[in-house]
Amino acid sequence: MDRRNFILSGTVLVSAVTARAQDKSSKLEVQVSYTGSGTVDEAHKVYVVLWDNPNFITEEAGSPPIDIKGVSSKSAAAQFDDVQTNPVYVSMVYDPSGKWDATSPPPAGSSLGVYAKEAGKPAPIPIEPGKTVKISATFDDSFKMK
């Protein structure tokens, strides 16, 4: 094998390994259902928020969210690709005014929800390398932003 073929073969091998590594990215799919009284549409979205720790529920939350996805129906899936943190935590927000752009804290009166197994305690969601983890989360108008 001459040097040129060896380099070309090595490049193909590195490309194949890189492609395989990229296939190992973790994904999280959140099937969210908002059962509150508000209308959900393009102007009044439900936002699914991904966090790296459960402290977002306190006033001293500290770190910003990892990612935010908006959905425009009362029941829809929000998918987060290439999740790098394990575990993660999920909260949901519905803004009845339709004016929140998800770059600041939710406005007063927004309905809030959290993925939890115990009331009021965010549940960790284990992320598996190379897999899509699927969860379901439902919230209503019981808890609102002050």
Side-chain angles (χ1 to χ4, degrees):
M1 176 182 288
D2 73 21
R3 179 178 162 90
R4 203 175 32 190
N5 286 338
F6 179 76
I7 291 172
L8 181 59
S9 296
T11 302
V12 170
L13 178 61
V14 168
S15 296
V17 169
T18 302
R20 193 171 302 138
Q22 289 172 348
D23 290 343
K24 293 288 184 187
S25 67
S26 301
K27 297 179 182 181
L28 174 64
E29 183 179 303
V30 179
Q31 180 64 43
V32 62
S33 295
Y34 167 66
T35 59
S37 62
T39 299
V40 179
D41 56 25
E42 276 300 318
H44 304 85
K45 292 184 178 182
V46 168
Y47 292 92
V48 181
V49 187
L50 192 63
W51 302 91
D52 65 357
N53 67 70
N55 297 334
F56 67 87
I57 206 160
T58 67
E59 291 192 26
E60 301 87 34
S63 62
I66 296 171
D67 202 356
I68 299 173
K69 302 285 182 185
V71 297
S72 55
S73 65
K74 283 196 167 202
S75 183
Q79 183 162 308
F80 298 91
D81 297 324
D82 196 27
V83 179
Q84 301 289 321
T85 303
N86 184 29
V88 293
Y89 301 83
V90 168
S91 66
M92 293 83 60
V93 178
Y94 169 69
D95 172 26
S97 74
K99 295 179 181 170
W100 186 51
D101 64 2
T103 61
S104 61
S110 297
S111 297
L112 306 173
V114 62
Y115 176 74
K117 297 191 179 189
E118 292 178 43
K121 184 178 178 189
I125 303 162
I127 299 300
E128 298 180 43
K131 303 222 175 177
T132 299
V133 175
K134 296 181 181 187
I135 65 163
S136 294
T138 300
F139 75 112
D140 57 23
D141 298 329
S142 299
F143 298 100
K144 298 211 179 220
M145 190 73 175
K146 295 178 183 178

